[in-house]
Amino acid sequence: MTGQPSAPDPATALHPRLPSPLQEAADDRFAGHGVRLLLKRDDLIHPQLIGNKWRKLVPNLRVAAGRPLLTFGGAYSNHLRATAAAGRLLGVPTIGVVRGQELADRPLNPSLARCTVDGMRLHFVDRSTYRHKTDPATLAAVLRAADAEDAYVVPEGGSNALAVRGCQDLGTELRGRADVVAIACGTGGTLAGLAAGLAPDQRALGIPVLKGGFLEEEIRKLQHQAFGGPRGDWHLDDRFHFGGYARTTPELDAFAADFEARHALPVERLYVAKLLYGLVALAAEGAFPHGTTIAAVITGRPF
């Protein structure tokens, strides 16, 4: 008796570029303070599953083994788009639970429209339900309402223990290559794994893109779930969120455009621009000792 054929391993079926390139960026705003800047180009891993989305999704796709995927996000979620793209490429059904019932009767923005083009079925919920989505009873009700009780559930932002362990590879790839590895943070899963993969003499710096000051506790929880306790030397600087998630300012846009011109790098605004702005500001403050090498992880490209 033969069993059902196993689903292809997404880590090979999607043909990633790993390890991602590490490129020097000559920039007088760093060099003038005796600091060297490197760019870890995770945006080049895969054209549609970009950066940390690749590292977080693939371990979950492997465990899902072809089952439908249900996940969560806001109206501009990079994670929803990446999940939808992965589903299309692998032939796996996807359901996106979107924060904001009021959006159901409005035209889709470009981000959500891209999800539907890639085959994702969108299910809108009110904001109170969304806030309680990790409560077992609420989650069960959402799954019933979305007709997705058989789905494999990936949390908001893709951050769970599997994803954190997947992001540990990012730190391993950067061992011995930089003194400080910096990354923009949304849900904290990438930083939690990155810090665990670095060598003991390296440290990780997270630049949160959301307001609230809740992220430190979340990262500690994620490391406990993934590794049983804290791992690595990491800290956060929460001064560079520019008003919160999906918020930008003319100052940030001008900075990003200037960085693009200097380095021929497409700068994604919601995460990467805030990371790079924060690093320039920290270098100007003298936060990095003379001789420091910083690796900035480029997790996405403009949409």
Side-chain angles (χ1 to χ4, degrees):
M1 179 177 174
T2 59
Q4 293 293 323
S6 59
D9 184 351
T12 54
L14 295 177
H15 306 293
R17 182 183 182 183
L18 289 170
S20 59
L22 186 64
Q23 303 171 346
E24 181 122 21
D27 193 310
D28 56 4
R29 295 170 295 184
F30 294 90
H33 300 282
V35 175
R36 181 180 177 221
L37 177 66
L38 306 176
L39 303 178
K40 177 64 167 167
R41 297 294 303 275
D42 262 22
D43 60 312
L44 300 178
I45 290 176
H46 189 277
Q48 296 177 67
L49 274 71
I50 293 169
N52 58 343
K53 302 308 176 190
W54 169 274
R55 298 185 188 274
K56 294 163 82 173
L57 267 176
V58 164
N60 281 283
L61 289 164
R62 188 179 288 125
V63 171
R67 290 166 57 195
L69 298 176
L70 179 140
T71 194
F72 300 83
Y76 294 93
S77 168
N78 293 327
H79 170 67
L80 285 183
R81 289 203 311 276
T83 303
R88 175 177 58 78
L89 292 167
L90 295 170
V92 173
T94 57
I95 304 98
V97 179
V98 183
R99 180 180 62 245
Q101 181 63 50
E102 70 278 6
L103 301 175
D105 299 321
R106 298 178 187 173
L108 297 179
N109 67 32
S111 185
L112 293 177
R114 179 70 241 183
C115 291
T116 62
V117 167
D118 279 337
M120 176 173 275
R121 180 161 57 86
L122 300 180
H123 178 74
F124 297 88
V125 299
D126 65 81
R127 293 169 187 270
S128 176
T129 297
Y130 194 91
R131 280 195 300 272
H132 296 93
K133 61 188 175 296
T134 58
D135 174 76
T138 301
L139 176 59
V142 168
L143 291 172
R144 285 195 301 271
D147 192 23
E149 290 177 277
D150 62 338
Y152 177 87
V153 177
V154 180
E156 181 179 36
S159 289
N160 58 11
L162 287 170
V164 170
R165 289 193 288 269
C167 291
Q168 188 174 4
D169 290 343
L170 173 59
T172 302
E173 290 174 22
L174 287 164
R175 280 195 163 216
R177 308 297 297 275
D179 304 296
V180 178
V181 180
I183 192 163
C185 301
T187 52
T190 307
L191 179 63
L194 161 67
L198 292 173
D201 61 345
Q202 295 174 289
R203 61 189 178 97
L205 166 63
I207 303 293
V209 302
L210 291 83
K211 294 191 297 184
F214 61 90
L215 202 54
E216 184 170 334
E217 181 181 353
E218 289 301 311
I219 293 167
R220 295 187 190 283
K221 286 181 183 176
L222 286 166
Q223 288 199 327
H224 182 78
Q225 292 165 7
F227 309 117
R231 291 289 187 279
D233 179 1
W234 59 270
H235 73 284
L236 303 172
D237 191 321
D238 61 4
R239 294 178 292 158
F240 306 108
H241 54 68
F242 284 84
Y245 185 70
R247 302 286 181 87
T248 62
T249 66
E251 180 186 11
L252 184 64
D253 285 334
F255 168 85
D258 175 69
F259 201 97
E260 288 175 333
R262 288 173 184 251
H263 300 292
L265 173 77
V267 176
E268 186 271 336
R269 299 306 198 257
L270 305 187
Y271 287 86
V272 176
K274 295 177 181 182
L275 165 68
L276 297 171
Y277 184 100
L279 291 177
V280 169
L282 287 165
E285 293 172 2
F288 306 114
H290 191 95
T292 297
T293 297
I294 303 169
V297 182
I298 308 302
T299 50
R301 292 195 299 271
F303 174 66

